[in-house]
Amino acid sequence: MQPPILIAHRGYAARFPENTLPALQAAVQTGARWLEFDVQLSADRIPVLLHDTTFERTAGHPGSVFEFTTQQMAAISAGESGRFGVQFADVRIPTLAEVVTWLATQPQVQAFVEIKTESIQRFGAEVVHTAVMRALGSVRERCVLISFDDTFLFAARLATPMRIGWVAAEWNDEQARRAHTLAPDYLFINYTQLPPAPQPLWPGRWQWAVYEVSAPERALALAARGIDFVETMAVGELLADARLADADARA
């Protein structure tokens, strides 16, 4: 059994504000070679890194990302004061273009770019896809578009040859059918949705990825079931385990 490859979920989000440059940079500094981050579109249709549609949870600020331009967002701290106090008060919500500029200096790093369904519903698949592709620019080949929206991914793959990953919401026959229809390169699911061992995983051309895992023993047990990638906010802690430390070398 090979250990799973670790994905830094929203960066090193256990120790740094999620979906921020410090979180992504810290993940790479700990040894992560795969990142995951979330993308929403702002009011001026610029891709930014944000999981929710509002700023309440991470910034303690009222309002929706759909109502703020990126210029207006520059005044909002993304430092998660509820978790970190004033430690990261100067951290801001990055644009995807800013993250891409940094990724261009990290040739060993690949990224899962999750396109949030709320932005697809708000602006339409074509607008979102065009904005994201424009921002990814020179690092596109090192990125994988992922989403819960399989219709968006199907259209995106036709429009631009690029790896895709579908996030299945549940473990059931309908989701299995949709996975086989889409045939993504990567198939994500919350590990709590998996059926009890030894029931097999859905067979397919994809590599399996699960989230959100914080314990090394669980990560190894999932690998024993055939999971290829494990997504974790505690990437530094998992990489500190010698049994997992070498996995990213084969990424």
Side-chain angles (χ1 to χ4, degrees):
M1 183 200 76
Q2 290 185 314
I5 297 169
L6 300 181
I7 306 167
H9 191 182
R10 306 179 201 171
Y12 194 174
R15 301 279 182 172
F16 295 83
E18 66 175 53
N19 282 322
T20 63
L21 271 170
L24 300 174
Q25 292 165 344
V28 172
Q29 288 168 3
T30 65
R33 293 297 173 262
W34 280 92
L35 305 174
E36 184 273 350
F37 48 80
D38 304 297
V39 171
Q40 302 274 17
L41 257 60
S42 64
D44 48 347
R45 301 185 177 188
I46 302 298
V48 298
L49 269 62
L50 191 68
H51 179 274
D52 305 348
T53 59
T54 70
F55 310 118
E56 291 287 351
R57 182 176 59 84
T58 55
H61 193 285
S64 163
V65 64
F66 304 142
E67 300 166 348
F68 281 68
T69 66
T70 50
Q71 184 176 3
Q72 291 169 325
M73 273 189 268
I76 300 175
S77 171
E80 290 194 66
S81 60
R83 285 205 294 154
F84 300 112
V86 299
Q87 182 180 358
F88 299 106
D90 293 336
V91 173
R92 295 294 183 262
I93 299 167
T95 65
L96 179 57
E98 289 170 336
V99 172
V100 165
T101 297
W102 168 72
L103 277 175
T105 71
Q106 307 295 319
Q108 78 282 18
V109 175
Q110 301 190 65
F112 290 104
V113 182
E114 181 174 345
I115 312 304
K116 303 305 289 183
T117 55
E118 300 93 339
S119 285
I120 298 169
Q121 293 164 359
R122 176 80 175 206
F123 297 103
E126 185 176 352
V127 168
V128 173
H129 180 260
T130 298
V132 170
M133 289 299 99
R134 184 184 300 118
L136 288 178
S138 63
V139 304
R140 188 181 299 175
E141 291 185 358
R142 290 193 277 121
C143 294
V144 181
L145 283 187
I146 69 172
S147 181
F148 281 87
D149 190 326
D150 49 333
T151 302
F152 169 82
L153 291 171
F154 187 85
R157 183 166 56 188
L158 290 177
T160 308
M162 191 173 177
R163 291 172 295 170
I164 61 170
W166 183 48
V167 189
E170 298 178 279
W171 186 276
N172 58 40
D173 291 344
E174 171 60 18
Q175 295 279 287
R177 183 194 66 77
R178 289 167 65 180
H180 283 99
T181 298
L182 180 63
D185 300 286
Y186 303 88
L187 184 54
F188 285 73
I189 196 166
N190 189 310
Y191 84 90
T192 62
Q193 289 287 327
L194 295 176
Q199 185 172 332
L201 304 177
W202 300 330
R205 53 159 283 182
W206 49 75
Q207 291 184 281
W208 275 100
V210 298
Y211 63 96
E212 161 58 39
V213 177
S214 59
E217 293 296 341
R218 189 180 302 281
L220 291 165
L222 288 163
R225 291 196 64 182
I227 297 298
D228 303 289
F229 290 81
V230 164
E231 194 170 357
T232 178
M233 293 184 176
V235 67
E237 287 77 2
L238 265 64
L239 283 171
D241 190 299
R243 296 169 296 176
L244 296 169
D246 295 332
D248 282 9
R250 58 187 175 86

